[in-house]
Amino acid sequence: MNDPRKYACIYECNPTTDSSRLIKSVRLYDPKSPEHTKFMASATRHLSLDPAATKGKNSDPAGIVYCADGDIVTEGSSENVTERRLRVIKGDQLPSTQTELTEYAVNFCKNHDVDYIHIETRSAFAASAEMIEKIYGEITIRHDPKNKSKVERVRAVAPLVEDGNAASGVRAVVEFPGVYNEQQQLVPDPSIAWLVDQFVNFGIVNDDHGLDALVQVALYLAPTLSAGGTGYASSIIRQMSLGENDTGRRFLEYIRARNKPADPQSDTEEASWLSQNWL
């Protein structure tokens, strides 16, 4: 059975509909195009690592993603439009200890241009960053997801990755490499199809460590990535401000009406109000 959603529904009692997926489709680019060559000439390159605890048979693999962020300039009717995008170049998953992953990262940097190394450092995973920094100095960017669940993190980057609204002009700014098939349609490059699958079938696929590696970079770069001028934050706030009893309206009313008491009990009073109305 080639459809992981059907497999999950039939064999794992975990039905997932198309409408419930966080990401339904992704945006592709042509690595052989002159546009991409121009993009890479001035792009910032990132190597992102999601370490594994061990390389045992039952252990999760380490996730590795090599990507680049840079500007794409398109000619408009009256002026040029500049959009900053994040493009996946290549990726891998492999069983490895943190020592082996560190060696992989160092060798990768010797053979590829890398500006920043991103490493998840939750718990004991900080060892990979520490080993690299001990020899080469502060060349890593550490990421600690703390208590945020994977679903929360994927949901946070979904507006940057989701390309299902392309027909309405809302495009993703995170892109994956594609190749042209016999029908001259751009489809995911087979070498990276596994990573695309981890996004569009998130929660169903067997592992998602490449996804973890890309998500941490996308979250880090999110403030600088263009979302095509779609006003994403504004659209969310406006949507929450509709209706009679919505949380957006209640929050704004609270802000307007709130007159913080000067007495020491104000924090307690605020906490009490929040517990009754928000938590």
Side-chain angles (χ1 to χ4, degrees):
M1 183 177 294
N2 294 326
D3 190 326
R5 281 172 288 122
K6 291 181 179 178
Y7 182 90
C9 179
I10 297 173
Y11 297 106
E12 298 179 343
C13 297
N14 181 27
T16 302
T17 63
D18 283 342
S19 60
S20 65
R21 287 188 292 172
L22 293 177
I23 297 168
K24 302 175 183 61
S25 63
V26 300
R27 188 175 185 176
L28 305 175
Y29 71 91
D30 180 5
K32 297 181 180 180
S33 68
E35 177 234 43
H36 181 64
T37 300
K38 185 177 181 180
F39 169 86
M40 290 300 295
S42 60
T44 301
R45 296 163 172 82
H46 307 266
L47 178 64
S48 185
L49 310 174
D50 179 51
T54 68
K55 62 179 300 184
K57 182 173 64 174
N58 297 321
S59 297
D60 293 333
I64 302 162
V65 172
Y66 181 48
C67 53
D69 76 290
D71 292 332
I72 296 291
V73 180
T74 55
E75 294 184 1
S77 56
S78 59
E79 60 182 1
N80 291 342
V81 178
T82 301
E83 187 179 55
R84 196 158 191 85
R85 299 182 194 169
L86 176 63
R87 288 184 166 176
V88 175
I89 310 302
K90 61 173 64 175
D92 202 355
Q93 290 192 147
L94 67 158
S96 65
T97 63
Q98 291 196 64
T99 303
E100 291 170 334
L101 184 62
T102 301
E103 183 179 4
Y104 177 99
V106 171
N107 287 330
F108 189 95
C109 291
K110 289 179 180 178
N111 297 299
H112 303 79
D113 290 331
V114 175
D115 295 295
Y116 299 103
I117 302 173
H118 300 254
I119 305 178
E120 181 183 314
T121 55
R122 177 174 52 185
S123 185
F125 291 157
S128 295
E130 291 168 357
M131 283 187 280
I132 292 175
E133 292 170 358
K134 185 175 183 179
I135 303 299
Y136 299 100
E138 300 290 332
I139 61 172
T140 65
I141 297 175
R142 301 185 180 206
H143 299 268
D144 185 355
K146 295 182 170 57
N147 295 324
K148 288 187 177 181
S149 70
K150 189 171 298 188
V151 174
E152 289 180 288
R153 284 176 275 150
V154 174
R155 184 176 285 115
V157 301
L160 303 176
V161 182
E162 171 61 55
D163 203 44
N165 299 314
S168 61
V170 180
R171 301 302 308 271
V173 292
V174 176
E175 301 177 311
F176 298 78
V179 294
Y180 285 99
N181 60 17
E182 295 179 353
Q183 291 74 40
Q184 291 303 299
Q185 298 171 321
L186 197 60
V187 297
D189 188 310
S191 68
I192 209 73
W194 60 272
L195 182 58
V196 172
D197 190 49
Q198 289 185 5
F199 277 90
V200 298
N201 289 303
F202 172 68
I204 302 171
V205 290
N206 291 333
D207 55 65
D208 44 29
H209 304 287
L211 174 146
D212 281 337
L214 181 56
V215 163
Q216 69 183 6
V217 177
L219 282 174
Y220 178 79
L221 296 174
T224 66
L225 294 175
S226 304
T230 61
Y232 174 70
S234 297
S235 67
I236 295 298
I237 292 173
R238 288 166 186 158
Q239 181 179 359
M240 291 182 66
S241 297
L242 298 174
E244 185 65 25
N245 299 310
D246 62 280
T247 55
R249 181 184 61 79
R250 290 166 54 219
F251 178 67
L252 291 176
E253 288 179 352
Y254 168 63
I255 292 297
R256 295 191 192 103
R258 181 171 178 262
N259 183 10
K260 187 174 181 179
D263 62 88
Q265 301 301 315
S266 59
D267 290 342
T268 302
E269 291 175 5
E270 182 178 31
S272 176
W273 190 95
L274 289 171
S275 66
Q276 294 175 22
N277 294 274
W278 295 91
L279 304 179

